[in-house]
């Protein structure tokens, strides 16, 4: 077991000779997003919290608690060597499966609006899919390192990881959580491509998964309704197109500079899930096009910076760190594109949080954990370069 002294000795990014020796552009951008997210969740949730719970600050207080937990998790992850993630990738994978199975068991899982996605632990709800996606990326990063030649040269080596990922995707669909399934499989495909899978096999896999996704959409009437509803939401503005039309009204009201922080009309019981899935629409209404583009630019910067951290680690020969960073970056990119695409009407309505900005404890904590992993990867790479230069 790893004791506290060992962890503290490893926590050089915080307590070493070079204090706060981290990728400051990534850290500063992430802190700005976390701060903006707290402000927007507070603004978007006040009317709903006051009307439904009698306390306008209810969701803000919970988000502050989640943020404190997330920052604590970030510090712990910064103190944890990346080799431990590689060493414990199988136990973490089994834990992810256990959580996904547990959430489907009545009495353990919590059902909300027909979906079994949460496990109640006292006053806190844990969303197992967020942790399962992270653990799947850790597992796949280890697989790409230890089966590198097999993945590149053998069809079997290419297929094997999906014998693990498909059952996990199946459990996500049963919840149902189609958005998390898309993000998980997208991250897996991206990691395999960056891991050196041949183009023919990659195209074959991508086509097969796209066909499977199409069948999943056609197999459930509500998914097909969402797919067709977003193409012309004004055809049924009080039915299948309700959420999207209200979101588009929010964007229209925002104009260039917005109506002012706290002055959104759409959050006042017009736009469902205003502080979770559609917080970006409220942000656009209150801060305008300029504010929305600024927030989106920060999100893109964080995701692209994560890709660069993976690239730098790969060039340094630290392959597990590189694939892990790639996987985390692709997950962020997927969630950002899907959430923003849903908000502006480019994609069918899908319940998927926006990293760093949306309300939700599991999403926020996992984002902080992922940020800590990326900062640790970059620090270990630079530390190795310094040690090599001193020799």
């Amino acid at each position: 077991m790893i004791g506290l002294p060992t962890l503290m000795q490893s926590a050089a990014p915080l307590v070493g000779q070079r204090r706060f020796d981290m990728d400051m552009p990534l850290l500063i951008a992430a802190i700005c997003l976390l701060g903006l997210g707290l402000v927007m969740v507070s603004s978007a949730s006040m009317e709903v919290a006051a009307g439904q719970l009698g306390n306008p600050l209810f969701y803000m207080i919970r988000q502050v608690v989640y943020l404190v937990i997330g920052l604590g998790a970030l510090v712990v992850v910064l103190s944890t060597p990346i080799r431990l993630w590689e060493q414990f990738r199988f136990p973490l994978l089994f834990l992810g499966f256990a959580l996904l199975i547990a959430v489907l068991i009545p009495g353990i899982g919590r059902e909300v609006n027909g979906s079994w996605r949460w496990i109640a632990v006292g006053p806190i709800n844990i969303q197992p899919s967020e942790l399962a996606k992270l653990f799947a990326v850790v597992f796949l990063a280890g697989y790409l390192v230890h089966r590198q030649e097999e993945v590149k040269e053998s069809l079997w080596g290419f297929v094997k990881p999906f014998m693990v990922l498909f059952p996990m995707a199946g459990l996500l669909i049963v919840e149902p959580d189609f958005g998390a399934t898309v993000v998980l499989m997208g991250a897996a495909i991206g990691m395999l491509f960056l891991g050196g899978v041949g183009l023919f096999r990659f195209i074959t896999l991508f086509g097969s998964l796209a066909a499977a996704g199409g069948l999943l959409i056609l197999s459930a009437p509500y998914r097909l309704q969402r797919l067709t509803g977003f193409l012309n939401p004004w055809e049924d503005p009080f039915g299948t197109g309700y959420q999207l039309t209200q979101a588009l009204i929010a964007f229209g009201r925002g104009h260039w500079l917005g109506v002012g922080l706290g002055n959104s009309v759409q959050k006042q019981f017009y736009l469902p899930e205003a502080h979770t899935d559609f917080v970006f629409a409220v942000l656009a209404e209150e801060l305008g096009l300029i504010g929305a583009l600024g927030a989106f630019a920060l999100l893109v910067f964080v995701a692209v910076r994560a890709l660069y951290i993976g690239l730098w680690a790969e060039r340094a020969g630290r392959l597990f760190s590189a694939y892990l960073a790639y996987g985390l970056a692709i997950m962020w990119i997927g969630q950002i594109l899907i959430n923003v695409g849903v908000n502006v009407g480019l994609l069918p309505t899908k319940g998927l949080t926006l990293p760093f900005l949306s309300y939700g404890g599991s999403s926020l904590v996992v984002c902080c954990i992922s940020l800590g992993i990326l900062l640790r990867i970059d620090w270990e790479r630079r530390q190795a370069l310094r040690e090599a230069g001193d020799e």
Side-chain angles (χ1 to χ4, degrees), residues 141-344:
Y143 179 83
L144 288 173
V145 172
H146 294 275
R147 296 288 187 271
Q148 191 173 29
E149 293 303 318
E150 191 177 356
V151 168
K152 291 179 179 179
E153 299 176 3
S154 165
L155 179 62
W156 177 239
F158 172 64
V159 170
K160 273 199 295 188
F162 288 99
M163 296 175 67
V164 173
L165 295 176
F166 281 150
M168 182 173 284
L171 289 170
L172 289 171
I173 290 170
V174 171
E175 291 185 5
D177 195 343
F178 189 64
T181 308
V182 171
V183 171
L184 172 63
M185 300 311 294
I189 292 171
M191 291 175 71
L192 285 166
F193 180 71
L194 293 172
V197 169
L199 185 60
F200 175 76
R201 280 179 288 164
F202 176 78
I203 293 174
T204 302
L205 172 67
F206 188 80
S208 301
L209 290 177
L215 289 174
L216 285 172
I217 291 172
L218 295 174
S219 66
Y222 80 93
R223 294 192 191 115
L224 187 59
Q225 269 190 334
R226 286 182 176 181
L227 180 63
T228 56
F230 95 100
L231 295 174
N232 185 12
W234 303 103
E235 184 179 358
D236 187 12
F238 299 104
T240 57
Y242 181 76
Q243 281 184 305
L244 180 52
T245 55
Q246 297 304 314
L248 293 176
I249 290 171
F251 277 95
R253 293 193 74 254
H255 296 287
W256 288 97
L257 299 177
V259 298
L261 187 63
N263 294 328
S264 167
V265 171
Q266 292 306 104
K267 68 184 181 183
Q268 297 178 11
F269 300 96
Y270 291 103
L271 180 60
E273 310 297 338
H275 58 297
T276 54
D277 300 341
F278 285 90
V279 70
F280 192 75
V282 176
L283 185 151
E285 183 182 2
E286 296 189 348
L287 304 184
L289 178 64
I290 302 300
L293 289 177
F296 186 72
L298 275 176
L299 289 165
V300 171
F301 175 81
V302 167
V304 172
R305 189 74 177 182
L307 284 174
Y308 270 102
I309 286 175
L311 177 62
W312 295 331
E314 185 176 6
R315 288 176 176 174
R318 308 176 73 86
L319 293 182
F320 176 79
S321 296
Y323 295 136
L324 182 54
Y326 288 146
L328 296 176
I330 294 170
M331 278 206 306
W332 281 352
I333 291 170
Q335 288 188 227
I336 291 166
L337 293 180
I338 292 174
N339 183 278
V340 174
V342 166
N343 274 249
V344 300

Side-chain angles (χ1 to χ4, degrees), residues 70-209:
L71 293 176
L74 188 151
V75 171
V76 172
V77 170
L78 274 174
S79 307
T80 305
I82 296 299
R83 59 179 172 79
L84 291 183
W85 289 96
E86 184 176 6
Q87 181 180 343
F88 290 100
R89 64 189 185 279
F90 288 111
L92 290 174
L93 180 68
F94 294 143
L95 176 60
F97 270 107
L99 289 171
L100 290 177
I101 293 171
V103 77
L104 299 174
I105 300 174
I108 298 178
R110 181 167 175 254
E111 185 266 338
V112 178
N113 296 328
S115 298
W116 294 82
R117 299 182 186 177
W118 296 270
I119 295 176
V121 181
I124 296 176
N125 292 322
I126 297 175
Q127 192 170 0
S129 61
E130 295 291 339
L131 290 170
K133 288 185 297 184
L134 172 63
F135 297 158
V137 167
V138 173
F139 160 76
L140 191 53
Y143 179 83
L144 288 173
V145 172
H146 294 275
R147 296 288 187 271
Q148 191 173 29
E149 293 303 318
E150 191 177 356
V151 168
K152 291 179 179 179
E153 299 176 3
S154 165
L155 179 62
W156 177 239
F158 172 64
V159 170
K160 273 199 295 188
F162 288 99
M163 296 175 67
V164 173
L165 295 176
F166 281 150
M168 182 173 284
L171 289 170
L172 289 171
I173 290 170
V174 171
E175 291 185 5
D177 195 343
F178 189 64
T181 308
V182 171
V183 171
L184 172 63
M185 300 311 294
I189 292 171
M191 291 175 71
L192 285 166
F193 180 71
L194 293 172
V197 169
L199 185 60
F200 175 76
R201 280 179 288 164
F202 176 78
I203 293 174
T204 302
L205 172 67
F206 188 80
S208 301
L209 290 177

Side-chain angles (χ1 to χ4, degrees), residues 25-43 59-60 63-75 279 283 294-295 298-299 302 332 354-372 375:
L26 175 61
L27 181 61
I28 291 172
I31 289 174
C32 289
L33 285 171
L34 290 170
L36 178 62
L38 179 60
V39 170
M40 293 314 306
V41 166
S42 303
S43 176
Y59 291 110
M60 186 200 76
Q63 189 76 348
V64 169
V65 172
Y66 295 145
L67 184 56
V68 171
I69 295 172
L71 293 176
L74 188 151
V75 171
V279 70
L283 185 151
L298 275 176
L299 289 165
V302 167
W332 281 352
L354 188 59
F356 298 102
L357 291 180
S358 292
Y359 172 80
S362 299
S363 174
L364 189 63
V365 171
V366 170
C367 278
C368 290
I369 292 173
S370 301
L371 175 63
L375 292 171

